[in-house]
């Protein structure tokens, strides 16, 4: 018996017929060669996925809903970038002899400019345009230590209806004038920003210690107290990226068992905590990630560019903690999830004990969509095209370039199709980015 829709509901519903990519709970891809995606108003008034599946099985339940037919195109969930820095949009491609000189010579001087709210607003607009062009619909991003940089990004993200998480960077030591903040004021500012922005529309706040070496004990303790008072805000930082950084952190916090343990010792590891890099870990660190529900943001283009090392996928899978993919712009070299997935594939070979391949294309894509949503505690909210998910999705063109057209036409399986897109794809593949409104 077809459901009958009232007129306003019908007017707000949209249906697209195309190839359809989504994910099962176990992370495997579900693919319909002739699929239907139906979106319409959800409980919060914004568009959610009402149905997704094969055209033949899904269409009869939606009589009267106009269908846009997109032959050859692929409907896919919007990508999630688990870690990047919007103020480093203009730092991409600044070469340095490792992380610490890169911070000193390029990143800190540039971030000092974000004390200027008008400058921050201009970069925020460009940054969000760039995410959309590349098909990234949700991001967990650093701002700078200036509260105005947070206001600028949230204001623009709210205007666009985005699900976006950011926070004011905490760095009250080992940082130059212009970006260094003051312990007490930094915590007051953080709490005010949480109250102003967290949970407003689709925005979320992340408590953001830059990394342990840039924070005094008092600042980290204060951040941990804020985290305890606001259990549903996110936490983001960096850890174990570079060997010089690891040595420095160990010297500064000799009482902690490891660099990672510094964060645990200050109440900064839990669900909704996301740490970038997580390269130089031992199995105690991996178990600490797992046992606290903390997630890793794996940033392969950044790790290659700054010569930081290789994320140990085999170790992460063996111990079993959450991780997903991230661009880490501007240490990272591209906003493109396709470039990030390709770099992850390349470095995923490292340290593999099992014979055979690196990560599969389905695993890579999952780590940048539904898996990244799981790492953020937003499973079933974004990152997939399951009923009830917010309707952030992409229309992909697998024939966006002559070579892509030729290569994807020859693909004989879903894995071959996804591999061709990962290896050859970039922003040209993203024909349309749709944000739930
Ligand atoms: N560690 C502390 N700050 C940063 C940063 O801005 N980028 C990277 N990649 N690592 C960091
Ligand atoms: Zn980073």
């Amino acid at each position: 018996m077809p459901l009958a829709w009232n007129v306003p509901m019908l007017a707000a519903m949209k249906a697209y017929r195309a190839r359809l990519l989504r994910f099962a709970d176990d992370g495997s891809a579900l693919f319909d060669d002739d699929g239907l995606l139906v979106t319409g108003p959800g409980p919060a008034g914004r568009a959610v996925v009402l149905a997704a599946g094969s055209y033949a099985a899904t269409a009869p339940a939606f009589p009267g809903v106009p269908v846009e037919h997109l032959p050859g195109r692929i409907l896919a969930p919007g990508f999630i970038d688990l870690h990047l820095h919007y103020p480093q949009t203009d730092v991409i491609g600044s070469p340095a002899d490792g992380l610490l000189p890169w911070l000193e010579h390029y990143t800190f001087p540039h971030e000092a400019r974000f004390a200027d709210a008008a400058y921050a607003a201009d970069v925020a607009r460009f940054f969000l345009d760039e995410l959309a062009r590349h098909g990234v619909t949700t991001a967990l991003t650093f701002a700078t230590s200036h509260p105005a940089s947070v206001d600028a990004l949230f204001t623009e993200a709210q205007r666009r209806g985005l699900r976006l998480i950011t926070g004011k960077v905490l760095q009250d030591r080992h940082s130059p004038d212009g970006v260094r903040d003051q312990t007490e004021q930094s915590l007051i500012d953080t709490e005010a920003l949480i109250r102003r922005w967290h949970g407003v529309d689709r925005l979320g706040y992340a408590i953001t210690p830059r990394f342990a070496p840039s924070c005094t004990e008092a600042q980290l303790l204060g951040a941990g107290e804020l985290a305890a008072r606001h259990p549903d805000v996110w936490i983001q930082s960096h850890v174990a990226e570079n060997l010089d950084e690891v040595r420095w952190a160990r010297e500064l916090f000799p009482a902690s068992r490891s660099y990672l343990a510094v964060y645990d010792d200050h109440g900064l590891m839990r669900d909704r905590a996301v740490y970038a890099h997580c390269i130089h870990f031992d199995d105690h660190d991996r178990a600490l990630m797992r046992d606290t529900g903390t997630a890793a943001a794996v940033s392969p283009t950044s790790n290659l560019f700054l010569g930081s090392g290789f994320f140990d996928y085999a170790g992460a899978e063996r111990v079993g903690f959450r991780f997903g993919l991230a661009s880490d712009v501007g240490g990272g070299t591209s906003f493109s999830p396709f470039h990030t997935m390709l770099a992850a594939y390349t470095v995923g070979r490292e340290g593999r004990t099992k014979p055979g391949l690196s990560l599969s294309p389905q695993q890579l894509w999952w780590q940048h969509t539904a898996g990244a949503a799981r790492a953020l505690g937003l499973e079933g909210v974004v990152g997939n095209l399951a009923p009830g998910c917010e309707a952030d999705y992409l229309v992909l063109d697998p024939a966006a370039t002559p070579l892509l057209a030729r290569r994807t036409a020859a693909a004989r399986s879903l894995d071959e199709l996804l591999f061709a897109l990962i290896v050859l794809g970039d922003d040209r593949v993203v024909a349309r980015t749709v944000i739930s409104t």
Side-chain angles (χ1 to χ4, degrees):
M1 187 46 190
L3 302 173
W5 310 107
N6 62 35
V7 173
M9 179 73 176
L10 200 59
M13 284 164 70
K14 289 185 183 146
Y16 301 88
R17 181 176 182 180
R19 292 195 267 174
L20 181 65
L21 175 67
R22 61 211 158 91
F23 292 91
D25 289 345
D26 67 1
S28 61
L30 302 169
F31 192 75
D32 295 289
D33 245 328
D34 182 16
L36 187 73
L37 174 69
V38 186
T39 67
R46 323 192 134 265
V48 297
V49 174
L50 297 178
S54 78
Y55 181 81
T58 313
F62 297 91
V65 178
V67 177
E68 186 178 347
H69 195 190
L70 300 162
R73 303 284 163 111
I74 302 169
L75 297 161
F79 290 109
I80 297 174
D81 194 330
L82 267 187
H83 173 82
L84 77 172
H85 300 249
Y86 100 81
Q88 295 176 16
T89 300
D90 296 298
V91 178
I92 295 177
S94 304
D97 190 17
L99 170 68
L100 301 176
W102 177 81
L103 287 172
E104 184 186 344
H105 297 304
Y106 295 104
T107 306
F108 290 154
H110 186 74
E111 290 193 9
R113 299 183 65 179
F114 286 75
D116 175 354
Y119 181 74
D122 184 55
V123 177
R125 280 190 293 273
F126 183 86
F127 169 81
L128 293 178
D129 286 349
E130 204 61 10
L131 291 190
R133 275 190 344 94
H134 286 281
V136 175
T137 51
T138 287
L140 170 60
T141 176
F142 272 47
T144 64
S145 56
H146 316 94
S149 73
V150 178
D151 288 327
L153 187 62
F154 273 142
T155 300
E156 190 56 28
Q158 185 181 31
R159 203 179 64 72
R160 299 173 189 224
L162 289 177
R163 182 166 283 286
L164 179 127
I165 307 163
T166 191
K168 178 206 130 42
V169 175
L170 300 168
Q171 52 182 118
D172 66 350
R173 67 166 162 171
H174 300 136
S175 307
D177 292 351
V179 293
R180 193 178 57 257
D181 57 11
Q182 289 178 340
T183 315
E184 204 181 329
Q185 190 60 43
S186 72
L187 300 169
I188 292 169
D189 288 343
T190 297
E191 182 132 49
L193 288 164
I194 292 171
R195 292 190 191 287
R196 188 175 314 147
W197 292 110
H198 184 68
V200 174
D201 294 338
R202 291 210 286 165
L203 307 175
Y205 194 85
I207 297 169
T208 307
R210 180 163 212 124
F211 63 157
S214 74
C215 302
T216 59
E217 179 98 43
Q219 193 176 44
L220 287 180
L221 280 172
E225 280 164 17
L226 281 171
R229 276 211 296 284
H230 299 278
D232 65 336
V233 306
W234 282 266
I235 298 166
Q236 60 178 345
S237 191
H238 298 93
V239 72
E241 175 178 4
N242 166 288
L243 288 172
D244 292 333
E245 169 218 18
V246 173
R247 265 190 294 277
W248 193 22
R250 303 285 291 114
E251 273 163 35
L252 291 167
F253 295 93
S256 292
R257 192 204 70 83
S258 68
Y259 180 4
L260 180 69
V262 173
Y263 297 114
D264 191 42
D265 294 343
H266 294 83
L268 291 166
M269 292 185 72
R270 67 171 189 205
D271 283 339
R272 294 198 166 198
V274 179
Y275 284 84
H277 306 291
C278 304
I279 296 172
H280 306 287
F281 271 4
D282 61 19
D283 271 357
H284 293 288
D285 293 322
R286 296 187 181 99
L288 184 56
M289 295 288 288
R290 180 195 59 210
D291 296 344
T292 54
T294 302
V298 181
S299 309
T301 74
S302 171
N303 298 336
L304 291 167
F305 185 70
L306 293 175
S308 304
F310 305 103
F311 180 76
D312 183 348
Y313 276 100
E317 281 162 16
R318 190 182 61 247
V319 177
F321 64 87
R322 288 184 217 155
F323 57 86
L325 286 173
S327 68
D328 192 28
V329 160
T333 48
S334 172
F335 279 100
S336 175
F338 296 100
H339 291 173
T340 302
M341 290 189 285
L342 177 57
Y345 175 76
T346 308
V347 304
R349 290 182 180 284
E350 192 73 20
R352 287 238 138 195
T353 46
K354 280 184 238 152
L357 289 173
S358 172
L359 292 98
S360 75
Q362 298 188 26
Q363 286 172 320
L364 291 161
W365 211 293
W366 182 81
Q367 287 171 24
H368 231 328
T369 54
R374 184 179 290 178
L376 287 173
L378 291 174
E379 195 173 11
V381 179
V382 286
N384 206 351
L385 295 179
C389 283
E390 294 170 353
D392 293 339
Y393 56 91
L394 311 176
V395 179
L396 302 179
D397 180 4
T401 69
L403 180 56
L404 266 164
R406 196 177 162 95
R407 183 64 190 89
T408 57
R412 288 161 307 171
S413 66
L414 176 61
D415 278 353
E416 288 191 11
L417 175 66
L418 297 182
F419 255 137
L421 288 165
I422 288 170
V423 173
L424 299 173
D426 55 30
D427 51 307
R428 291 170 291 182
V429 169
V430 182
R432 209 188 296 178
T433 300
V434 182
I435 299 297
S436 168
T437 49

